[in-house]
Amino acid sequence: MPLNVIIAPDTASAFQRAATFLADHIRGAAHPVLGLATGRTMESIYALLVSDHQAGKLDFSQLTSFNLDEYVGLSPTDPRSYRHYMQEHLFGHVNMRPEHVHVPDGTASDLVAECAAYEAAIQNEGGLGLQLLGIGETGHIGFNEPPSAFDTRTRPVTLDDVTRRQNAAMFGGQPDAVPHTALTMGVGTILEARELLLVATGSSKARIVAEALLGPLTPDISASAIRLHANCTVILDHEAAAIWKQQKSASNL
């Protein structure tokens, strides 16, 4: 089945389409299991979900979540950690049960064992029903930096310098302050979700979106692996879709 690519007329509409997509999944599954992502794109999506919950339109009590990744060495209460990010932007504002929330533990004494336990926890919940994804400037999904084989599992990884620069805002704008390592779901783990939703907005993502959706299937751009999935939706605004549209039109001439 080809990718379902949705081009929203503007950024706000892209966020709304993504939030509606996620809300429909939460409402429609008896035991919803979501894979969650972080980043500026996700902040707006989570804000819309929180608004739905506060308006009495969306119940999170049956939802189980697994986040894609976490920095190594940051405690869950560190304001720069992804666990803290999720608390600030979603978990702290909805009626999720604490025991249903899963984020990799970057302070675990045995990181390999932590990753194996994370994989087991996903399987114990019956697998991921829907995985939410962004795309990094290196073409990564999660922290699957190039090269990441398409059968990789949850594991410790070394972050690319490009990614550390991209994420420096949370660290006082200092790339050197960004941890060098992280834990991430593998590409193979992500591809086992029953459904994928990738969201990208803005002109800075246009080049890498086009490479991921139209270029070679390659471990050097882990996001290209989504094209192997049988049920994947991509939501873009016009700026993020611009180069993809040009190249797709040219290939159809």
Side-chain angles (χ1 to χ4, degrees):
M1 177 176 156
L3 292 177
N4 176 28
V5 179
I6 298 169
I7 302 176
D10 51 51
T11 304
S13 298
F15 293 150
Q16 185 61 66
R17 291 292 293 267
T20 298
F21 197 101
L22 292 166
D24 287 347
H25 180 84
I26 293 169
R27 293 188 188 101
H31 176 53
V33 181
L34 282 184
L36 298 178
T38 54
R40 292 175 186 161
T41 298
M42 305 307 159
E43 291 176 17
S44 298
I45 296 171
Y46 294 149
L48 290 166
L49 293 176
V50 168
S51 293
D52 277 356
H53 171 71
Q54 294 177 341
K57 299 177 182 177
L58 190 58
D59 176 23
F60 285 79
S61 64
Q62 300 304 308
L63 175 64
T64 297
S65 70
F66 289 88
N67 263 73
L68 280 168
D69 41 34
E70 179 60 283
Y71 292 110
V72 168
L74 299 189
S75 73
T77 57
D78 189 309
R80 303 166 299 175
S81 73
Y82 284 150
R83 178 61 181 83
H84 185 271
Y85 169 103
M86 292 303 304
Q87 190 69 25
E88 289 292 303
H89 293 288
L90 183 64
F91 299 154
H93 307 284
V94 299
N95 62 331
M96 285 189 72
R97 300 177 187 177
E99 65 270 23
H100 288 180
V101 168
H102 301 85
V103 180
D105 182 2
T107 65
S109 58
D110 187 334
L111 295 177
V112 173
E114 167 65 13
C115 291
Y118 205 69
E119 288 277 336
I122 292 171
Q123 295 306 311
N124 288 342
E125 293 293 338
L128 300 170
L130 172 62
Q131 175 65 60
L132 174 64
L133 300 167
I135 182 170
E137 291 180 12
T138 66
H140 65 235
I141 47 177
F143 271 142
N144 288 285
E145 300 282 29
S148 287
F150 291 170
D151 60 354
T152 48
R153 314 305 302 186
T154 302
R155 68 203 189 284
V157 293
T158 300
L159 298 180
D160 191 283
D161 288 344
V162 172
T163 297
R164 295 174 67 236
R165 287 196 299 271
Q166 184 183 354
N167 293 359
M170 290 289 291
F171 295 83
Q174 301 297 318
D176 289 345
V178 180
H180 286 261
T181 54
L183 305 182
T184 187
M185 283 190 204
V187 181
T189 310
I190 292 167
L191 291 180
E192 286 179 359
R194 289 182 285 281
E195 191 169 7
L196 302 180
L197 172 64
L198 186 145
V199 185
T201 61
S203 59
S204 66
K205 296 296 178 72
R207 179 195 60 81
I208 198 62
V209 163
E211 288 188 35
L213 300 188
L214 292 175
L217 286 165
T218 172
D220 289 331
I221 299 178
S222 62
S224 67
I226 68 171
R227 288 151 52 193
L228 300 173
H229 200 278
N231 190 6
C232 179
T233 298
V234 178
I235 297 178
L236 310 170
D237 66 3
H238 270 290
E239 289 186 343
I243 297 175
W244 173 79
K245 288 171 65 178
Q246 292 172 359
Q247 293 182 355
K248 190 170 177 59
S249 295
S251 67
N252 290 334
L253 292 177

